[in-house]
Amino acid sequence: MGGHRRRGQLGPAVPIAPGARVDKFEVFFDLVFVFSFFIITRATAANITGRQLLHAALVLAVLWWIWVVHSLVATRVRLGEGYVPVLMVIAMVALFAFALGLPQAFSDPTGVAGGPMLVAISYVAVRAVHMILYQHVVRDSPQERRQLRRFAPELAVSIVLLLAAALIPPQIADPDDAALVRDGLWITVVVVQYATGFIVGTWGWGVTSAEHWTERYDLILIIALGESIISTGVGGNLLGKPVTWPAVAAAALGIVITAALWWAHFDFIGPAARIALHAAEGAPRVAMARDAYAYAYLPMIAGVILFSIGNEEILHKITDPAGGIGERVEGPAVPMLFGGLICYFVVNLLFQLRTLHTVSWTRVGVIVVLVAALPIGQHLPALGALTLATVICVGLVAMEVLVMSQSRHALRSAVFQERTTHEAHEAAWRARWHDVPEPDEPTTP
């Protein structure tokens, strides 16, 4: 692969450098995932049942596998350079269609297969773009080509299973049997996909830029947290209704919890894990990137979505004229609110254990407190349950600021020194732009 453009052409694909960071096109591509997370949340919140939650988990898992494959491609080639953005726009269109079909992917299994077929065909298109691009990128590396071929069975099996999940259930007369077959096929897809990552192993792979990898996954987690804020305003039914102080207070509490979730990962654990991935090399780096980022971020994002749905239902109760802040929230809203927070903190603790090989007693404590507070929250009024969750999350932040002050200061000093050194190097390099020699003769426009 060359890094130079040819005049009059888009130019070739440009490889990732060891110090590369996320470019603007990658952030632009992520906008489709914003829509996808929103669709999953909206479809689940519309009808909260055990089976609906299973369906949400399945589509989120398949969507996330697309993201993992996408991030693998981005470890080898700059997605915003050369002809690559053209292929990525095609993938964006297919991924958007995939998201549009998600609400119908688990509709009446004996009905028309239009929605499930859209999901399956869109999935084929997205994976095809990634496969074609990656195969072109590694064409000069026999080792990586062999490793890529080891993923071919996963791609073929997942495509066949998704097509079967769209075509077979409508042929079954009994709706319950049809739904069971469809769900079973989707579960098999997820098992095949995520088992492949362990079966294939780390041999032959590489994470060229640890900075790019960690930043890429951190940004998608921020997108998921941003979706929870969208749910607070849109899903919570705050738009188009008279403004009330209870509704404003509930929305503020929801945003404070989201900020606490951000702080819990990005204040200390995330930056320290980034340094750990930089320090690792070879197979240990690939294994850490797979376990802590490609796999652990999925249940963390699932926890954020569960919290978002529970928070949304509580806001519905508070803004409902027939309800109000004094009434308890019946149904799954409070368990989903607290369950989502518990899921997030448990997985974040596992993330810390995998990357830093440590366990914070503050994280264990907040998990225990949230588990104990769940039955209490179910007996509190709507605003009271939300306040209880907020106090626990903010309490974690305050506690860690106090008891981890020395560690936080040391980490932030190291990160700040790295950042200022990098900024000084960039400023020195750009200074040459100020020293462009004047032409001997004026140029004509």
Side-chain angles (χ1 to χ4, degrees):
M1 291 182 299
H4 303 284
R5 296 178 182 272
R6 290 189 290 269
R7 185 176 299 177
Q9 299 179 7
L10 290 173
V14 180
I16 284 287
R21 300 189 62 180
V22 174
D23 64 32
K24 293 181 177 62
F25 184 85
E26 293 180 78
V27 179
F28 173 66
F29 186 93
D30 288 348
L31 294 177
V32 185
F33 283 93
V34 175
F35 177 71
S36 301
F37 291 153
F38 183 78
I39 286 292
I40 293 173
T41 305
R42 297 277 64 73
T44 308
N47 180 28
I48 303 176
T49 63
R51 173 159 278 187
Q52 187 70 14
L53 290 175
L54 171 64
H55 295 166
L58 292 174
V59 297
L60 178 62
V62 174
L63 176 69
W64 183 253
W65 188 252
I66 295 175
W67 164 261
V68 171
V69 173
H70 176 75
S71 65
L72 284 173
V73 175
T75 61
R76 290 302 316 272
V77 62
R78 298 177 188 268
L79 301 186
E81 298 294 334
Y83 65 84
V84 179
V86 176
L87 292 178
M88 287 297 101
V89 169
I90 296 173
M92 286 179 69
V93 173
L95 188 58
F96 189 83
F98 179 87
L100 285 176
L102 290 180
Q104 289 79 42
F106 291 93
S107 56
D108 181 8
T110 60
V112 179
M117 279 300 297
L118 176 62
V119 169
I121 294 173
S122 302
Y123 177 85
V124 172
V126 176
R127 293 296 305 273
V129 170
H130 287 142
M131 178 63 76
I132 292 170
L133 180 58
Y134 200 93
Q135 195 163 14
H136 177 73
V137 168
V138 302
R139 66 189 184 279
D140 297 326
S141 173
Q143 178 176 308
E144 287 184 294
R145 288 205 311 272
R146 287 195 299 270
Q147 186 72 340
L148 185 62
R149 285 195 293 269
R150 297 176 70 184
F151 268 88
E154 174 273 321
L155 175 59
V157 171
S158 61
I159 289 174
V160 170
L161 289 174
L162 285 176
L163 289 172
L167 297 174
I168 294 177
Q171 311 303 320
I172 301 175
D174 185 87
D176 293 334
D177 291 342
L180 189 63
V181 170
R182 178 198 58 196
D183 294 354
L185 289 169
W186 271 82
I187 291 172
T188 306
V189 169
V190 174
V191 171
V192 168
Q193 289 175 334
Y194 289 86
T196 300
F198 288 108
I199 294 172
V200 172
T202 60
W203 179 86
W205 295 113
V207 178
T208 305
S209 172
E211 185 68 23
H212 179 275
W213 184 270
T214 55
E215 188 177 15
R216 200 78 179 91
Y217 279 82
D218 285 347
L219 286 173
I220 201 67
L221 181 57
I222 290 176
I223 284 175
L225 291 171
E227 196 285 325
S228 71
I229 294 178
I230 295 174
S231 292
T232 298
V234 178
N237 208 22
L238 298 178
L239 299 178
K241 284 194 172 185
V243 177
T244 63
W245 287 114
V248 172
L253 291 175
I255 293 176
V256 169
I257 294 177
T258 302
L261 296 180
W262 176 90
W263 186 285
H265 183 76
F266 290 100
D267 176 66
F268 184 86
I269 302 300
R274 165 184 164 271
I275 294 175
L277 190 66
H278 273 284
E281 294 180 334
R285 172 185 280 194
V286 177
M288 184 186 298
R290 178 197 62 195
D291 301 342
Y293 289 90
Y295 281 18
Y297 267 53
L298 170 59
M300 268 202 289
I301 290 175
V304 173
I305 292 177
L306 280 176
F307 155 73
S308 301
I309 297 172
N311 181 45
E312 175 183 327
E313 291 299 306
I314 292 176
L315 284 170
H316 269 300
K317 187 70 173 179
I318 293 173
T319 58
D320 187 357
I325 62 174
E327 291 193 20
R328 288 190 303 172
V329 182
E330 304 294 340
V334 173
M336 292 186 71
L337 176 76
F338 281 84
L341 296 175
I342 293 169
C343 178
Y344 182 89
F345 285 118
V346 166
V347 180
N348 198 257
L349 184 66
L350 296 175
F351 175 87
Q352 177 187 353
L353 179 63
R354 179 64 183 85
T355 56
L356 307 179
H357 307 292
T358 62
V359 173
S360 301
W361 65 265
T362 52
R363 301 302 174 95
V364 176
V366 76
I367 294 168
V368 172
V369 172
L370 283 169
V371 172
L374 173 55
I376 299 174
Q378 290 181 290
H379 292 86
L380 291 177
L383 192 58
L386 195 56
T387 302
L388 177 61
T390 306
V391 169
I392 294 172
C393 293
V394 173
L396 168 69
V397 171
M399 183 64 68
E400 291 191 342
V401 167
L402 293 175
V403 303
M404 299 173 62
S405 58
Q406 291 184 347
S407 299
R408 291 179 67 253
H409 178 72
L411 175 64
R412 291 196 169 279
S413 295
V415 172
F416 183 74
Q417 183 179 4
E418 177 198 17
R419 183 181 303 166
T420 53
T421 302
H422 180 71
E423 290 170 350
H425 176 75
E426 285 188 331
W429 195 92
R430 291 166 184 157
R432 70 184 68 184
W433 295 343
H434 305 154
D435 302 326
V436 177
E438 294 292 333
D440 295 333
E441 297 180 359
T443 57
T444 56

